[in-house]
Amino acid sequence: MLKAGVLGAGHLGKIHLKLLNQSDKYELVGFYDANEENGKKVEAEFGYKFFNSIEELIDAVDMVDIVTPTLSHYDCAKQAIAKGKHIFIEKPITNTVEEAEHIRELLAENKLRGQVGHVERFNPAFLAVKDEINAPMFIESHRLAEFNPRGTDVPVVLDLMIHDIDIILSVVKSKVKHISASGVAVISNSPDIANARIEFENGCVANLTASRISLKKMRKARFFQKDAYISVDFLEKKCEVVKMKDAPEHPGDFDMVLQNAEGEKKQIYFDNPPVANNNSILDELNTFADAINNDRAPIVTLHDGTEALRVATQIINCF
């Protein structure tokens, strides 16, 4: 079991503490929080050991789980790497692309492992159809949330849209060619609603919408490719695959057959792959332990996290 320590005991940090404590791949050593009052409160309520300094915690563990505000990710990661510790770092990886690239360099130089917390990669609905998504040419995503002051210190692109940016970059095997976007600050001092269009060199186009001032929650993505349409509901953990194939010569009474202008007949059929019941955050932490123990690349690498931040930054620069 890897000895793990958490930096940051806010809303998400407490979830990580709970799951690391439950995991059979980690021994939770304790945590550090810059707010001593909050740290003592969490220690008293849950029994996790509160360390008085970040240095003490890092010295006591094998893996550092960084769940602090984004602005401090870079410094926390540097300190952990300097002490020879593997790092799990919440999204977005750092505040700037330059910081992310430096962290990647340090990690490689020290032959350590790092993973970024793009948790939607572990969403069971996405996992159920991931292998069906090949060469999509049009993608549409909507990630809408009700207003919550937590997270409004950054644009909605870094708060919400970055989840979908990472998902899209993971399935489109092509370089980004052009980005256009618009964003509006409605309540916060940074954009609360944004729309982006990402064009890839292979011709694929992705339209992304993210809002944190909606009346209802939505987290959906749709992938269109040759002879298939795939939808993923990240919130409800549901998915659907609609495929087309050449129609049989003598279709059955209940077969859905369409004929195009050229006279070609296609049969439509539906596939609803089974969606496993999982805890995505626990899975991402456990697979990171496997990557460390087996000396292999994590599922979401620091390169992945850097590229998602790079595209997010380009989107923000369009505003």
Side-chain angles (χ1 to χ4, degrees), residues 9-81:
H11 173 75
L12 188 56
K14 282 187 277 194
I15 294 173
H16 278 231
L17 282 164
K18 176 183 176 183
L19 295 174
L20 285 169
N21 197 41
Q22 292 176 355
S23 172
D24 58 3
K25 296 180 184 290
Y26 294 99
E27 175 193 340
L28 176 62
V29 174
F31 72 100
Y32 169 77
D33 191 275
N35 183 329
E36 185 177 350
E37 184 182 347
N38 180 59
K40 295 288 188 183
K41 182 180 176 184
V42 171
E43 181 181 49
E45 186 174 351
F46 300 101
Y48 313 129
K49 182 180 178 181
F50 172 61
F51 281 74
N52 292 317
S53 73
I54 187 171
E55 294 81 9
E56 282 184 53
L57 176 67
I58 292 173
D59 284 338
V61 301
D62 305 310
M63 186 279 278
V64 178
D65 184 2
I66 302 169
V67 203
T68 58
T70 305
L71 283 172
S72 62
H73 285 186
Y74 178 61
D75 286 335
C76 291
K78 279 201 304 181
Q79 288 186 65
I81 295 168

Side-chain angles (χ1 to χ4, degrees), residues 31-226:
F31 72 100
Y32 169 77
D33 191 275
N35 183 329
E36 185 177 350
E37 184 182 347
N38 180 59
K40 295 288 188 183
K41 182 180 176 184
V42 171
E43 181 181 49
E45 186 174 351
F46 300 101
Y48 313 129
K49 182 180 178 181
F50 172 61
F51 281 74
N52 292 317
S53 73
I54 187 171
E55 294 81 9
E56 282 184 53
L57 176 67
I58 292 173
D59 284 338
V61 301
D62 305 310
M63 186 279 278
V64 178
D65 184 2
I66 302 169
V67 203
T68 58
T70 305
L71 283 172
S72 62
H73 285 186
Y74 178 61
D75 286 335
C76 291
K78 279 201 304 181
Q79 288 186 65
I81 295 168
K83 293 288 185 75
K85 313 300 180 178
H86 304 286
I87 57 168
F88 183 98
I89 189 166
E90 257 310 319
K91 65 84 195 167
I93 177 171
T94 49
N95 193 46
T96 68
V97 173
E98 292 73 24
E99 288 177 349
E101 288 176 337
H102 188 218
I103 292 301
R104 285 177 57 203
E105 290 170 8
L106 291 175
L107 210 68
E109 288 170 9
N110 289 274
K111 295 181 171 57
L112 296 166
R113 293 293 179 193
Q115 180 165 322
V116 183
H118 283 290
V119 70
E120 292 290 36
R121 293 270 204 110
F122 299 84
N123 188 297
F126 177 68
L127 292 175
V129 296
K130 183 180 68 172
D131 292 339
E132 300 272 2
I133 304 172
N134 48 72
M137 295 309 292
F138 180 67
I139 303 169
E140 194 168 38
S141 74
H142 289 85
R143 188 167 292 261
L144 316 178
E146 296 159 344
F147 184 75
N148 183 336
R150 185 169 51 84
T152 55
D153 54 325
V154 295
V156 70
V157 176
L158 292 176
D159 184 25
L160 298 178
M161 188 184 283
I162 197 165
H163 284 294
D164 300 305
I165 293 170
D166 174 68
I167 288 289
I168 289 166
L169 293 180
S170 77
V171 298
V172 179
K173 306 305 178 186
S174 178
K175 292 182 179 179
V176 173
K177 177 183 174 184
H178 179 72
I179 292 174
S180 54
S182 60
V184 180
V186 180
I187 298 175
S188 316
N189 292 322
S190 59
D192 295 303
I193 184 165
N195 177 263
R197 176 183 170 92
I198 305 173
E199 299 174 33
F200 294 87
E201 289 182 355
N202 69 351
C204 177
V205 172
N207 279 340
L208 301 84
T209 299
S211 168
R212 57 187 178 203
I213 50 168
S214 297
L215 297 178
K216 64 175 183 177
K217 296 178 182 178
M218 179 190 290
R219 298 179 205 157
K220 290 184 178 179
R222 297 185 291 169
F223 305 85
F224 299 85
Q225 59 196 40
K226 178 68 174 173

Side-chain angles (χ1 to χ4, degrees), residues 117-131 133 143 163-164 166-167 218-221 231-239 274-284 287 299-300:
H118 283 290
V119 70
E120 292 290 36
R121 293 270 204 110
F122 299 84
N123 188 297
F126 177 68
L127 292 175
V129 296
K130 183 180 68 172
D131 292 339
I133 304 172
R143 188 167 292 261
H163 284 294
D164 300 305
D166 174 68
I167 288 289
M218 179 190 290
R219 298 179 205 157
K220 290 184 178 179
S231 69
V232 180
D233 189 326
F234 293 94
L235 184 62
E236 299 294 333
K237 296 180 173 53
K238 295 177 182 177
C239 57
V275 177
N277 186 23
N278 77 333
N279 184 306
S280 300
I281 297 177
L282 180 60
D283 280 2
E284 67 178 351
T287 60
I299 291 174
V300 185

